[in-house]
């Protein structure tokens, strides 16, 4: 027969075990911290494009089409779902979005994840911006079990390049963050092998993983983001999320230094000046030696400018060179 003390101890142990099991099953995958906030939270999201000809002068798209941003597609989710991740393979939906701006397949993937894993709480979007410098805005709702936010915006034109956020956690312990601001840099989806903004479609076989594009990677002079003089690229865009008070859901509080205007072209944002050095071709072969018989003549070789310098970049060298020679076609 068990004593009252033994029975009480067994009950206490059972309660502790059950509590531990509940905690373990409620933890997100990967060991992330658990959000213990007691209610939903709403945020305003403002995406600001900083893709200017001053900051990114190399091969800057001026027409057919000019530099611009696609619509934004995002979701609030748990750690069971991944929209995209650096060093991992892009899904078919992300490929379609990054290459052509088609969102249907990506939306179906988000919907399937929500139905199968209950990992998606809400989907949000924002309209496209018809210029490299501009803003778009949206609102979104997060839940304690779905406190992560991911989104993508396609760089237009481009082979398969985009900017975005992967699994940004808006919860910190038991509190929702009041404001988050992040600089955004270009990424390659790994599905198209083009080097320039206007490259034709040329599928990457086998498919590569998602990688961040830097000033030195891909390390090829033809790359539109190749700026070997820079340690890092300037940010191509910025996203700011501000928590909305539940009592004033329709009111979007102002962000210091930033005004939310929907999708709008902005010309007054201060942007860095990225120096672009002159690039020239290789020398042509030497031309014929010209001159009178029995005397020294001259021959010439030329080269041409491939990239004009900008923003105090290195100026172009001489494009024509002359040297002495002996005519060999005298009669």
């Amino acid at each position: 027969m068990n004593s009252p003390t033994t029975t009480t101890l067994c009950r206490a142990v059972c309660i502790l075990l059950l509590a531990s099991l509940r905690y373990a099953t409620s933890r997100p995958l990967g060991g992330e911290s658990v959000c213990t906030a007691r209610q939903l939270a709403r945020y305003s999201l403002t995406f600001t494009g900083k893709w200017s000809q001053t900051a990114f002068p190399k091969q800057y798209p001026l027409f057919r089409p000019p530099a611009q941003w696609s619509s934004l597609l995002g979701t609030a989710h748990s750690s069971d779902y991944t929209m995209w991740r650096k060093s991992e393979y892009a899904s078919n939906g992300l490929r379609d979005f990054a290459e052509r701006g088609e969102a249907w397949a990506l939306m179906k993937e988000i919907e399937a994840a929500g139905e199968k894993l209950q990992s998606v709480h809400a989907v949000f979007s924002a309209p496209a911006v018809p210029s490299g410098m501009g803003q778009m805005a949206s609102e979104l709702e997060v839940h304690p079990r779905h406190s992560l936010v991911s989104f993508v915006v396609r760089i237009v034109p481009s082979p398969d390049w985009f900017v975005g956020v992967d699994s940004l956690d808006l919860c910190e312990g038991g509190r929702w963050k009041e404001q988050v601001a992040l600089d955004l840099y270009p990424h390659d989806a790994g599905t198209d092998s083009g080097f320039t903004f206007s490259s034709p479609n040329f599928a990457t076989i086998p498919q590569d993983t998602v990688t961040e594009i830097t000033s030195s990677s891909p390390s090829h002079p033809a790359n539109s983001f190749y700026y070997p003089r820079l340690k890092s690229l300037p940010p191509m865009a910025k996203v700011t999320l501000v928590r909305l008070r539940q009592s004033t859901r329709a009111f979007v509080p102002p962000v210091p230094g930033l005004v939310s205007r929907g999708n709008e072209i902005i010309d007054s944002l201060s942007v860095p000046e990225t120096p672009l050095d002159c690039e020239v071709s290789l020398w042509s072969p030497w031309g014929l030696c010209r001159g009178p018989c029995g005397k020294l003549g001259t021959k010439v070789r030329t080269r041409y400018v491939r990239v004009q310098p900008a923003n105090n970049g290195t100026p172009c060298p001489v494009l024509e060179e002359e040297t002495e020679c002996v005519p060999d076609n005298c009669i």
Side-chain angles (χ1 to χ4, degrees), residues 15-36 79-80 145:
I15 291 171
L16 285 173
L17 286 172
L18 287 172
S20 299
L21 286 172
R22 289 195 189 102
Y23 174 74
T25 55
S26 67
R27 293 191 67 186
L29 296 177
E32 294 92 342
S33 59
V34 178
C35 178
T36 57
S79 59
D80 299 333
R145 289 183 55 205

Side-chain angles (χ1 to χ4, degrees), residues 244-257:
L244 301 174
R245 297 302 174 188
Q246 298 297 328
S247 58
T248 56
R249 293 177 63 174
F251 172 67
V252 179
V255 181

